[in-house]
Amino acid sequence: MLRTALRNVLAHKARLMMTALAVLLGVAFVAGTLIFSDSVAEAVKNASAKNLKDVAVSVQATNSDPEAPDVVDAGKDGKRATALDDKLADRIRTLPGVASVRANVTGEATLAGPDDQPVGNGWQNRAANYQPGKDGKDARYPLLQGRGPANGGEIALAESTAKAAGVKLGDTVRFATDGPVLKKKLVGIVASDDPQVTAGGSLALFDTATAQRLYLHPGQFDELIVAAAPGTDERALTAKVREVLPKDRAEATSGSALAAEQSRMIAQQNSALSQTLLTFAGIALFVGVFIIANTFTMLISQRSREIALLRAVGASRRQVVRSVLAEAALLGLISSVVGFGLGLGIAEGLRAVLNANGAGFPDGPVVISPSTVGAALAVGVVVTVLAAWLPSRKAAKIAPVEALSSVEAAPAMRSLVLRNSIGAVITGLGVAVMLYVSTLKSGDDLPVAMLGSALTLVGMIILAPLLSRPLVSLAGLVTIRLFGIGGKLAKENALRNPRRTAATGSALMIGLTLITGMTVVGHSAQLGMDKMAANGVSADYQVTTSTYVGMDPALSKKVAHVPGVTAMAPLRGAGFSTGDSPGDGGFGYLRGTDLTQIDKVTRLTFTQGSLDAVRAGGIAVSDKGLKEHGWHVGDTVTVSFDEKKKTKLKVAAAYKENEALGEAFADVSLVDPHTTRVKNERLLVKTADGGSPALVKDIRHALGDSPLLKVQSRDDLRKENAGQIDTVVNMVYGLLGMAVIIAVVGVVNTLAMSVFERTREIGMLRAIGLARSGIKQMVRLESVVISLFGAVLGMGVGIFLAWAGGSLVGSSFPTYEMVLPWGRLGLFLLIALVVGVLAAVWPARRAARLNMLEAIGAH
């Protein structure tokens, strides 16, 4: 029987090739995801380990004692204060087993590129102090050109950073740390193995005094790195270091513990992406199950005489089942091996694409673990065998005498009553859950929505044979009217075997359900965000910083005097808590602004009180904020700001939700005393003529031409918001495209085998006068009808799921409202039509080329 299974695989290479392709693509997705995850994790781990290779103990400041004057903090001048200083570093150097102590100052510096655009990826733009040894060089940053910075007017850059900034030795480097642009002379170019830098960030180095002046206070450090003498026990050294640290103001961590923590964080960061990719891989394999089951069902039907002969010569039912499953396992194994090879390419391509979009993964070798190989091969084989299990049982039930004597009879159709009953129950349960989801408002209820969506989709798959009759018949009315007898034959062929039609159409339905649902939600969310932005802001420009460090209020005032600017309102704020004691109750954020200008740059709608009442010394609270905190207009409320002091505020007015102002706002004079560091988060700017590129340059110049600045028009903001949503939707399109490709393979496979089954029928049609073009048209229309059936069903389910689950998205912003993107939905139908036409090319050509006499005489 094993030789029989092998012979069947080799004898039906063309028929099984499409099935193998479905398995291959699914396995490639699984293998690519696992290889990608392992490779990235190993690359980041190696980069981190290399970065920590000389670290025996890391000493860092803590902020557990807020009353201490020199604890880590952001002071009024914006510079951090730490408990790590020269005295502590010298004390640690005297400990037994300490080889050296490296005192680090770290921060962020954003460099201006040749086009004044920022270099690097925001949070990865590192800055540090260059610490030369006796030879004048810093072993941590090997020099490639020039020398290290020695005074406040000099800077060194990583080689990749200098290249990105378009500067060379002797050039003036323009950069910013927290506001105005600074300039220093480039005196050195260094190599760096810092994973943030090698993964797309930037690195700027200053002498220690300059770094402290920029980020800390003189004589203070962010971290002390302790290197151990040979033979020193790391744990014992860590304990000794802890003994000399100021209590509750600094902590020591061993190098091994630090490496372990970094590895844990790396695994956690990669897990979300890996789980997402594996989910889509599962969808692709789930779609492939329909194709595999379809293929083996038709192959068994075609081989009924052969199976009957095997049964007649003594093969047991169990042997027949084993033969079919062995054939499936062999097919799955071959497909999995090829799919694994394709997965290697997917893994490398995935890393390249994500890095091109700013993911910042470090370089490293491709990692292929035995578990990945085993998992990928096992998935392919198990999925194929499971999909072939039901067809194998059907094969075992073939009675030898019955099959031999009635081989020409059409197979009896099994009743669909049980299947339809089960499908109705599951679908009804799924719809009920989704109707319940439509009443929910929190994003935390997403698991419930996922359960309801899964139940609804599975139920529709089970009901697909029942639904195929009315939908295919409806499509048949169109095909008959347009194409006459060819359209009628196509409709009858599609209805001949509802199970097969349903299984083929379901593969396309799954992909289009998910794509349609994501498209509707994404399109509606984008329109909601546009509406929210338009309703809240009338300003022509919004000015922010790319690293959220804020803008100097004194410098910001200059924007109001730029020619062409008619109004400018700053926005800054402070967090507060409500309750009887600091930290108790709820939390909120009070924005401070210029009350003489805010109504000129925003669209404020007051429901109670007025702006004049707020100007008299009160605060305005949104309707939603009043409800959440239980406040009323006219109340005097007690809140605790970040400095933990209780403050009484009078609620003077209420307004409709406004994206720019959030839940509450007041004059800056009321907010500023409660902020540690007064910085404008953003500026709203109104112009006389709607703005121009020249005006944008003037605004940037008024703010010091800092590379940190982002001056965005309303269209820019709309595109930025659209970009975030479109990125997610496009990623889903790409991933689910795999499922659609597999569905196309299924249509091709079904039609090819259907043509084989109907060989004699096609010969008879040719004999009574149907031309070759008519045969091609019949097969093409059958393919289109099946594809449109899957598409209409999938789009209908997708729209329903998007409507029911939209309430969860609407919880993020009140302007969300489901809007159908008719253009894209029409495109999906057109794609289904094209899929049907293309999938029928080879089967239709094969059917038309059949020899009439040979076809009539076929068995």
Side-chain angles (χ1 to χ4, degrees):
M1 295 302 291
L2 184 61
R3 286 197 300 270
T4 302
L6 180 61
R7 181 186 61 80
N8 284 329
V9 171
L10 296 176
H12 302 98
K13 293 187 292 291
R15 301 180 203 172
L16 292 173
M17 186 169 57
M18 293 296 182
T19 304
L21 185 57
V23 180
L24 181 153
L25 291 174
V27 170
F29 219 150
V30 172
T33 299
L34 295 176
I35 293 171
F36 165 78
S37 300
D38 291 343
S39 300
V40 168
E42 188 66 19
V44 177
K45 183 179 178 181
N46 290 341
S48 299
K50 190 175 181 181
N51 207 34
L52 297 170
K53 65 180 180 180
D54 295 324
V55 180
V57 183
S58 170
V59 179
Q60 296 180 331
T62 63
N63 59 351
S64 58
D65 182 7
E67 301 302 323
D70 56 346
V71 85
V72 172
D73 198 2
K76 294 289 185 181
D77 57 1
K79 297 178 183 177
R80 303 185 304 278
T82 79
L84 309 185
D85 54 20
D86 289 313
K87 291 181 180 180
L88 179 59
D90 291 338
R91 200 155 56 240
I92 294 174
R93 287 188 181 97
T94 63
L95 294 175
V98 173
S100 64
V101 175
R102 181 181 179 85
N104 290 337
V105 179
T106 58
E108 292 183 354
T110 302
L111 277 66
D115 53 357
D116 285 333
Q117 294 301 310
V119 172
N121 301 322
W123 57 275
Q124 292 179 300
N125 294 334
R126 295 191 63 248
N129 58 323
Y130 188 83
Q131 304 173 55
K134 294 180 180 179
D135 59 355
K137 297 179 180 179
D138 187 342
R140 178 70 182 82
Y141 302 108
L143 280 168
L144 300 176
Q145 298 180 47
R147 58 177 175 81
N151 57 62
E154 297 177 344
I155 189 174
L157 300 176
E159 183 178 28
S160 58
T161 305
K163 184 177 180 181
V167 293
K168 58 184 183 297
L169 288 181
D171 288 349
T172 298
V173 177
R174 297 174 62 249
F175 69 97
T177 58
D178 65 351
V181 69
L182 303 173
K183 297 179 181 179
K184 296 188 185 299
K185 182 180 179 181
L186 180 62
V187 297
I189 294 177
V190 303
S192 174
D193 55 12
D194 188 311
Q196 289 189 1
V197 178
T198 57
S202 65
L203 174 65
L205 298 174
F206 311 99
D207 66 283
T208 298
T210 301
Q212 289 173 333
R213 192 162 54 247
L214 287 171
Y215 304 108
L216 297 172
H217 294 279
Q220 294 183 351
F221 304 96
D222 289 298
E223 182 181 25
L224 300 178
I225 299 296
V226 181
T232 303
D233 182 76
E234 189 179 277
R235 290 186 179 180
L237 182 59
T238 304
K240 291 178 183 177
V241 171
R242 284 175 180 154
E243 291 176 0
V244 302
L245 297 181
K247 187 178 181 181
D248 295 330
R249 295 165 60 191
E251 62 180 6
T253 308
S254 66
S256 57
L258 207 60
E261 176 62 17
Q262 286 195 359
S263 297
R264 186 191 65 79
M265 291 178 64
I266 290 166
Q268 189 175 6
Q269 291 169 359
N270 289 334
S271 64
L273 177 60
S274 299
Q275 288 172 6
T276 301
L277 295 174
L278 286 174
T279 297
F280 286 106
I283 293 171
L285 287 169
F286 184 58
V287 172
V289 165
F290 292 94
I291 299 168
I292 298 165
N294 237 4
T295 300
F296 276 93
T297 298
M298 289 186 284
L299 282 175
I300 286 165
S301 177
Q302 294 168 15
R303 298 206 312 257
S304 58
R305 172 172 289 186
E306 176 186 320
I307 294 171
L309 285 171
L310 289 172
R311 295 278 286 114
V313 297
S316 67
R317 291 188 175 186
R318 182 172 296 179
Q319 285 179 310
V320 172
V321 170
R322 287 176 180 172
S323 175
V324 175
L325 294 182
E327 185 179 343
L330 185 59
L331 175 67
L333 181 61
I334 296 172
S335 304
S336 298
V337 170
V338 179
F340 187 85
L342 181 60
L344 287 171
I346 290 176
E348 283 298 286
L350 194 58
R351 183 194 289 198
V353 169
L354 292 175
N355 273 341
N357 285 277
F361 297 123
D363 294 331
V366 175
V367 177
I368 304 175
S369 66
S371 60
T372 297
V373 176
L377 296 182
V379 163
V381 174
V382 169
V383 166
T384 310
V385 170
L386 287 178
W389 182 67
L390 286 177
S392 71
R393 294 194 61 190
K394 179 182 178 183
K397 291 180 180 178
I398 296 176
V401 175
E402 178 184 355
L404 288 171
S405 61
S406 58
V407 70
E408 302 298 338
M413 296 300 296
R414 289 178 294 156
S415 171
L416 290 171
V417 173
L418 179 61
R419 175 170 178 159
N420 292 341
S421 300
I422 295 173
V425 171
I426 295 176
T427 303
L429 185 60
V431 170
V433 172
M434 292 309 296
L435 290 176
Y436 168 69
V437 167
S438 68
T439 66
L440 303 176
K441 300 296 180 184
S442 173
D444 295 335
D445 296 310
L446 182 60
V448 181
M450 294 176 66
L451 173 63
S453 299
L455 288 172
T456 304
L457 188 56
V458 170
M460 293 301 291
I461 291 170
I462 297 174
L463 284 178
L466 177 66
L467 298 173
S468 67
R469 289 192 176 277
L471 291 177
V472 171
S473 297
L474 186 63
L477 296 177
V478 178
T479 58
I480 293 172
R481 180 174 293 274
L482 294 178
F483 301 100
I485 189 64
K488 184 175 182 179
L489 289 171
K491 184 199 79 170
E492 295 299 330
N493 289 333
L495 290 175
R496 182 179 300 182
N497 192 330
R499 294 176 185 270
R500 182 185 302 171
T501 298
T504 307
S506 293
L508 189 60
M509 180 192 78
I510 296 168
L512 277 176
T513 294
L514 299 173
I515 289 176
T516 301
M518 286 298 301
T519 300
V520 172
V521 171
H523 178 74
S524 302
Q526 182 56 56
L527 292 179
M529 293 178 73
D530 289 347
K531 186 185 297 184
M532 184 169 63
N535 290 345
V537 178
S538 59
D540 297 307
Y541 291 105
Q542 173 181 281
V543 185
T544 56
T545 55
S546 57
T547 54
Y548 308 103
V549 295
M551 292 166 280
D552 182 358
L555 195 62
S556 302
K557 290 180 180 178
K558 294 183 178 181
V559 174
H561 303 294
V562 172
V565 173
T566 58
M568 189 281 292
L571 291 175
R572 49 185 183 261
F576 64 83
S577 64
T578 61
D580 295 332
S581 60
D584 289 345
F587 295 90
Y589 196 78
L590 179 64
R591 291 194 185 278
T593 188
D594 184 347
L595 296 182
T596 64
Q597 300 289 309
I598 192 63
D599 57 334
K600 299 175 184 177
V601 295
T602 61
R603 296 185 177 92
L604 270 171
T605 303
F606 286 93
T607 54
Q608 298 180 64
S610 66
L611 190 57
D612 289 335
V614 184
R615 289 171 180 155
I619 66 171
V621 184
S622 69
D623 293 334
K624 183 179 180 182
L626 290 175
K627 184 177 180 181
E628 288 180 351
H629 296 296
W631 297 342
H632 301 87
V633 174
D635 288 352
T636 297
V637 298
T638 301
V639 301
S640 301
F641 284 94
D642 291 341
E643 79 281 4
K644 307 297 175 68
K645 294 178 182 178
K646 292 184 180 180
T647 304
K648 292 186 181 296
L649 301 173
K650 182 179 180 181
V651 180
Y655 59 93
K656 289 185 178 179
E657 306 304 316
N658 187 289
E659 186 272 337
L661 295 169
E663 66 173 334
F665 72 90
D667 191 80
V668 290
S669 61
L670 190 152
V671 175
D672 288 353
H674 306 292
T675 58
T676 305
R677 186 185 182 197
V678 179
K679 284 278 189 176
N680 287 326
E681 298 169 5
R682 53 178 166 163
L683 308 177
L684 299 179
V685 181
K686 185 74 174 175
T687 64
D689 56 2
S692 66
L695 183 57
V696 171
K697 288 184 178 180
D698 291 341
I699 293 173
R700 293 185 65 90
H701 184 67
L703 291 168
D705 286 323
S706 171
L708 295 173
L709 290 175
K710 292 170 64 177
V711 183
Q712 298 172 292
S713 67
R714 277 184 283 180
D715 284 340
D716 293 333
L717 290 170
R718 190 173 291 114
K719 289 175 183 177
E720 184 176 77
N721 292 334
Q724 296 170 1
I725 294 175
D726 287 345
T727 297
V728 175
V729 173
N730 289 336
M731 186 173 114
V732 172
Y733 282 173
L735 295 171
L736 292 179
M738 183 78 75
V740 175
I741 291 173
I742 295 175
V744 173
V745 170
V747 176
V748 174
N749 218 18
T750 298
L751 288 175
M753 294 198 170
S754 180
V755 166
F756 178 84
E757 286 182 351
R758 301 204 306 266
T759 299
R760 173 172 289 186
E761 177 185 319
I762 292 172
M764 292 295 294
L765 290 172
R766 291 278 290 115
I768 61 175
L770 189 62
R772 293 181 186 272
S773 60
I775 297 294
K776 287 183 178 180
Q777 184 186 73
M778 176 187 70
V779 176
R780 277 197 299 267
L781 290 175
E782 182 180 353
S783 176
V784 168
V785 166
I786 293 174
S787 298
L788 288 178
F789 160 67
V792 170
L793 206 57
M795 290 170 63
V797 175
I799 291 172
F800 168 73
L801 296 180
W803 168 79
S807 60
L808 304 184
V809 181
S811 64
S812 302
F813 47 93
T815 53
Y816 177 87
E817 182 181 354
M818 193 181 93
V819 178
L820 294 180
W822 293 109
R824 291 191 185 185
L825 296 180
L827 179 63
F828 294 161
L829 275 177
L830 180 62
I831 290 174
L833 182 65
V834 172
V835 163
V837 173
L838 294 179
V841 170
W842 177 60
R845 185 180 179 86
R846 183 183 175 203
R849 285 189 169 187
L850 289 174
N851 182 281
M852 185 190 311
L853 296 179
E854 290 179 358
I856 294 174
H859 295 288

mmCIF file of all heavy atoms in Angstrom, residues 351-365:
data_model
loop_
_atom_site.group_PDB
_atom_site.id
_atom_site.type_symbol
_atom_site.label_atom_id
_atom_site.label_comp_id
_atom_site.label_asym_id
_atom_site.label_seq_id
_atom_site.Cartn_x
_atom_site.Cartn_y
_atom_site.Cartn_z
ATOM 1 N N ARG A 351 12.847 41.240 7.160
ATOM 2 C CA ARG A 351 13.754 42.102 7.924
ATOM 3 C C ARG A 351 14.119 43.344 7.112
ATOM 4 O O ARG A 351 14.128 44.457 7.641
ATOM 5 C CB ARG A 351 15.018 41.336 8.291
ATOM 6 C CG ARG A 351 15.966 42.178 9.153
ATOM 7 C CD ARG A 351 17.354 41.582 9.258
ATOM 8 N NE ARG A 351 17.390 40.374 10.065
ATOM 9 C CZ ARG A 351 18.523 39.878 10.573
ATOM 10 N NH1 ARG A 351 19.664 40.500 10.376
ATOM 11 N NH2 ARG A 351 18.501 38.774 11.277
ATOM 12 N N ALA A 352 14.393 43.159 5.817
ATOM 13 C CA ALA A 352 14.766 44.289 4.971
ATOM 14 C C ALA A 352 13.629 45.300 4.851
ATOM 15 O O ALA A 352 13.833 46.517 4.944
ATOM 16 C CB ALA A 352 15.176 43.788 3.582
ATOM 17 N N VAL A 353 12.395 44.800 4.664
ATOM 18 C CA VAL A 353 11.238 45.693 4.520
ATOM 19 C C VAL A 353 10.981 46.464 5.805
ATOM 20 O O VAL A 353 10.761 47.687 5.786
ATOM 21 C CB VAL A 353 9.983 44.874 4.121
ATOM 22 C CG1 VAL A 353 8.732 45.728 4.227
ATOM 23 C CG2 VAL A 353 10.127 44.344 2.700
ATOM 24 N N LEU A 354 11.020 45.771 6.955
ATOM 25 C CA LEU A 354 10.767 46.440 8.225
ATOM 26 C C LEU A 354 11.868 47.437 8.561
ATOM 27 O O LEU A 354 11.601 48.519 9.085
ATOM 28 C CB LEU A 354 10.635 45.404 9.343
ATOM 29 C CG LEU A 354 9.383 44.509 9.267
ATOM 30 C CD1 LEU A 354 9.415 43.440 10.349
ATOM 31 C CD2 LEU A 354 8.120 45.343 9.402
ATOM 32 N N ASN A 355 13.113 47.108 8.249
ATOM 33 C CA ASN A 355 14.206 48.056 8.485
ATOM 34 C C ASN A 355 14.063 49.290 7.600
ATOM 35 O O ASN A 355 14.362 50.405 8.017
ATOM 36 C CB ASN A 355 15.560 47.385 8.235
ATOM 37 C CG ASN A 355 16.091 46.681 9.465
ATOM 38 O OD1 ASN A 355 15.654 46.960 10.582
ATOM 39 N ND2 ASN A 355 17.024 45.769 9.282
ATOM 40 N N ALA A 356 13.596 49.071 6.369
ATOM 41 C CA ALA A 356 13.388 50.204 5.459
ATOM 42 C C ALA A 356 12.307 51.139 5.972
ATOM 43 O O ALA A 356 12.292 52.332 5.645
ATOM 44 C CB ALA A 356 13.020 49.698 4.059
ATOM 45 N N ASN A 357 11.403 50.613 6.808
ATOM 46 C CA ASN A 357 10.325 51.418 7.385
ATOM 47 C C ASN A 357 10.635 51.863 8.816
ATOM 48 O O ASN A 357 9.741 52.245 9.561
ATOM 49 C CB ASN A 357 9.013 50.636 7.356
ATOM 50 C CG ASN A 357 8.412 50.560 5.966
ATOM 51 O OD1 ASN A 357 7.734 51.474 5.518
ATOM 52 N ND2 ASN A 357 8.677 49.469 5.261
ATOM 53 N N GLY A 358 11.928 51.796 9.178
ATOM 54 C CA GLY A 358 12.345 52.354 10.462
ATOM 55 C C GLY A 358 12.317 51.404 11.640
ATOM 56 O O GLY A 358 12.380 51.841 12.782
ATOM 57 N N ALA A 359 12.256 50.077 11.395
ATOM 58 C CA ALA A 359 12.224 49.141 12.520
ATOM 59 C C ALA A 359 13.551 49.121 13.276
ATOM 60 O O ALA A 359 13.587 48.956 14.489
ATOM 61 C CB ALA A 359 11.883 47.737 12.025
ATOM 62 N N GLY A 360 14.652 49.277 12.556
ATOM 63 C CA GLY A 360 15.950 49.368 13.205
ATOM 64 C C GLY A 360 16.487 48.066 13.778
ATOM 65 O O GLY A 360 17.080 48.062 14.851
ATOM 66 N N PHE A 361 16.313 46.925 13.064
ATOM 67 C CA PHE A 361 16.883 45.669 13.533
ATOM 68 C C PHE A 361 18.368 45.622 13.184
ATOM 69 O O PHE A 361 18.755 45.973 12.076
ATOM 70 C CB PHE A 361 16.170 44.470 12.889
ATOM 71 C CG PHE A 361 14.724 44.359 13.245
ATOM 72 C CD1 PHE A 361 13.744 44.334 12.265
ATOM 73 C CD2 PHE A 361 14.330 44.287 14.569
ATOM 74 C CE1 PHE A 361 12.409 44.230 12.589
ATOM 75 C CE2 PHE A 361 12.989 44.180 14.911
ATOM 76 C CZ PHE A 361 12.030 44.155 13.923
ATOM 77 N N PRO A 362 19.212 45.175 14.113
ATOM 78 C CA PRO A 362 20.643 45.106 13.810
ATOM 79 C C PRO A 362 20.961 43.980 12.832
ATOM 80 O O PRO A 362 20.171 43.033 12.679
ATOM 81 C CB PRO A 362 21.278 44.833 15.180
ATOM 82 C CG PRO A 362 20.210 44.160 15.964
ATOM 83 C CD PRO A 362 18.911 44.758 15.486
ATOM 84 N N ASP A 363 22.117 44.082 12.178
ATOM 85 C CA ASP A 363 22.549 43.033 11.261
ATOM 86 C C ASP A 363 22.956 41.797 12.051
ATOM 87 O O ASP A 363 23.417 41.880 13.194
ATOM 88 C CB ASP A 363 23.725 43.520 10.420
ATOM 89 C CG ASP A 363 23.325 44.643 9.475
ATOM 90 O OD1 ASP A 363 22.144 44.660 9.069
ATOM 91 O OD2 ASP A 363 24.179 45.495 9.166
ATOM 92 N N GLY A 364 22.820 40.658 11.420
ATOM 93 C CA GLY A 364 23.201 39.412 12.075
ATOM 94 C C GLY A 364 22.939 38.247 11.151
ATOM 95 O O GLY A 364 22.246 38.377 10.125
ATOM 96 N N PRO A 365 23.487 37.089 11.466
ATOM 97 C CA PRO A 365 23.303 35.910 10.606
ATOM 98 C C PRO A 365 21.888 35.360 10.686
ATOM 99 O O PRO A 365 21.160 35.612 11.650
ATOM 100 C CB PRO A 365 24.315 34.916 11.192
ATOM 101 C CG PRO A 365 24.413 35.301 12.633
ATOM 102 C CD PRO A 365 24.284 36.797 12.659
#
